[in-house]
Amino acid sequence: MITPDLESGTKLWHLVKNHDHLDQREGDRGSKMVSEIYLTRLLATKGTLQKFVDDLFETIFSTAHRGSALPLAIKYMFDFLDEQADQHQIHDADVRHTWKSNCLPLRFWVNVIKNPQFVFDIHKSSITDACLSVVAQTFMDSCSTSEHKLGKDSPSNKLLYAKDIPNYKSWVERYYADIAKMPAISDQDMSAYLAEQSRLHLSQFNSMSALHEIYSYITKYKDEILTALEKDEQARRQRLRGRLEQVVDTMALSS
């Protein structure tokens, strides 16, 4: 796009905003044209990727349409959150929904979506990063219980999937409801599952490093953890408070 310039005759513009142009009105006109060009390209790109985004979201937020069975840990964790809500008399469905969203989709899946190099041996370019950020933002909005009011001044990445988010939100709600209907996982089954996972990945992790991280957490919140163990009936039956105190004392002596 070439626009006249009074001093040099002509000035070549690329498809970016020209911040140093002296004629403000001409600059505004050019910026508007650039925005319209970008919006058209954004919509075309979204249409190309729509099926892949839909497939990704449906696979994540489904108990049936997935490559493998739902991990027992997810059912066990969601049941635990529901039990804690009942125990503390929290009956607001939005609170339970937010807890589940924070502990799995927003803590794990958003990180994987925005950083595929964590899973695959690939290089993530700046353009790819920007595109994945739009998908990740849509994912986060789909897990939210609040309504996002959008207007003409809202960011383009918010407007791009505005009509799709209500549908995605229904998938999230259905996902949580389907998991709640599944049979409960017993402590014995969960322990067996964790033991099997530990055996399968025995050589892939540094167990001493993991234990050190757990110990650092315990020393930081020792009083709160000991108090919680004393109040919990199952923990009292297994004498977990005394065992933990013994571990802390042993570590203190060795250090």
Side-chain angles (χ1 to χ4, degrees):
M1 180 167 60
I2 299 178
T3 59
D5 187 275
L6 296 178
E7 295 182 1
S8 59
T10 58
K11 187 172 183 181
L12 183 65
W13 277 16
H14 190 53
L15 294 180
V16 293
K17 292 182 179 180
N18 191 6
H19 297 290
D20 60 349
H21 201 284
L22 297 177
D23 189 344
Q24 185 64 40
R25 289 179 299 176
E26 189 68 30
D28 290 343
R29 184 179 71 84
S31 296
K32 183 178 180 182
M33 292 181 65
V34 170
S35 298
E36 291 174 352
I37 292 171
Y38 275 142
L39 182 58
T40 302
R41 296 178 67 182
L42 273 174
L43 292 173
T45 304
K46 186 215 172 192
T48 304
L49 299 177
Q50 185 70 55
K51 181 182 184 302
F52 300 98
V53 175
D54 287 347
D55 288 347
L56 172 66
F57 283 23
E58 185 177 12
T59 301
I60 292 175
F61 295 124
S62 174
T63 57
H65 301 288
R66 48 189 303 124
S68 59
L70 185 80
L72 297 183
I74 295 178
K75 168 63 177 174
Y76 190 86
M77 177 174 61
F78 281 11
D79 283 354
F80 170 78
L81 294 175
D82 286 332
E83 289 172 4
Q84 290 300 305
D86 292 337
Q87 182 177 335
H88 295 282
Q89 298 182 352
I90 299 175
H91 304 296
D92 189 342
D94 287 350
V95 173
R96 300 179 183 227
H97 183 105
T98 302
W99 283 2
K100 295 172 183 178
S101 295
N102 285 341
C103 71
L104 181 61
L106 301 184
R107 186 174 182 84
F108 175 76
W109 283 115
V110 167
N111 208 16
V112 173
I113 292 172
K114 292 185 66 174
N115 302 283
Q117 71 275 18
F118 290 175
V119 182
F120 304 105
D121 187 13
I122 60 173
H123 169 69
K124 182 180 68 173
S125 66
S126 58
I127 295 176
T128 302
D129 181 58
C131 294
L132 292 176
S133 294
V134 174
V135 177
Q137 183 62 55
T138 303
F139 188 89
M140 290 187 284
D141 291 341
S142 302
C143 295
S144 174
T145 58
S146 59
E147 295 295 331
H148 300 278
K149 295 182 179 180
L150 301 176
K152 62 179 182 179
D153 296 326
S154 300
S156 58
N157 64 325
K158 291 271 191 178
L159 296 171
L160 203 57
Y161 282 93
K163 293 183 179 180
D164 302 287
I165 286 178
N167 187 38
Y168 294 152
K169 282 189 173 184
S170 69
W171 292 1
V172 178
E173 293 172 357
R174 180 196 63 193
Y175 176 63
Y176 293 163
D178 288 347
I179 292 177
K181 296 175 184 175
M182 296 173 65
I185 307 298
S186 66
D187 292 340
Q188 292 80 7
D189 290 341
M190 189 61 197
S191 297
Y193 171 78
L194 293 176
E196 177 63 15
Q197 293 301 310
S198 297
R199 186 188 66 79
L200 292 174
H201 306 286
L202 187 62
S203 60
Q204 299 178 11
F205 299 98
N206 188 329
S207 58
M208 294 305 297
S209 177
L211 287 171
H212 180 266
E213 291 297 326
I214 295 174
Y215 178 71
S216 298
Y217 182 86
I218 290 173
T219 54
K220 185 177 180 180
Y221 300 103
K222 182 179 71 173
D223 293 338
E224 293 89 340
I225 293 174
L226 292 176
T227 301
L229 291 175
E230 184 63 30
K231 291 180 179 180
D232 187 83
E233 182 178 351
Q234 186 173 357
R236 286 200 305 271
R237 286 201 300 267
Q238 299 181 15
R239 296 180 294 178
L240 295 184
R241 176 184 174 121
R243 293 181 179 181
L244 181 59
E245 288 178 326
Q246 185 177 1
V247 170
V248 173
D249 292 341
T250 303
M251 292 295 292
L253 291 174
S254 62
S255 60

